[in-house]
Amino acid sequence: MHCFCSNRAIQLLDHYKASYGAFNILEDNDVREGVKKYANWPTIPQLYINGEFIGGCDIMMEMHNTGELKKLLAEGGAI
């Protein structure tokens, strides 16, 4: 089960037929809190491309609307 934002992020990646991995952080509180600290970003989901933190769902939507998400996914080899 995914929250609205996680579903939106998955839909965006699927829209581009991107290759990606996912981890259900709802099953592991240590991972959930750790990933927030790692990126210094308080919310989930979090998008990383080649290990670089890109942003969360809202940023993904903004980047999708400007074409930047497709560009980053392509440059990162995900599409």
Side-chain angles (χ1 to χ4, degrees):
M1 181 177 204
H2 301 287
C3 71
F4 172 79
C5 288
S6 294
N7 280 332
R8 174 63 56 92
I10 289 168
Q11 289 172 351
L12 285 171
L13 294 172
D14 287 347
H15 171 78
Y16 293 110
K17 296 179 176 47
S19 173
Y20 63 91
F23 181 84
N24 184 354
I25 61 165
L26 299 177
E27 295 176 355
D28 191 324
N29 189 54
D30 290 338
V31 172
R32 180 171 52 247
E33 294 307 315
V35 75
K36 292 177 187 180
K37 290 178 186 173
Y38 178 79
N40 195 26
W41 193 260
T43 61
I44 50 172
Q46 296 180 2
L47 175 66
Y48 293 81
I49 298 178
N50 293 331
E52 180 182 347
F53 176 63
I54 304 301
C57 180
D58 291 342
I59 290 173
M60 289 176 70
M61 276 302 300
E62 290 173 17
M63 294 175 76
H64 166 70
N65 290 335
T66 64
E68 185 68 16
L69 182 58
K70 182 177 182 179
K71 179 182 172 192
L72 280 178
L73 290 170
E75 288 173 354
I79 59 173

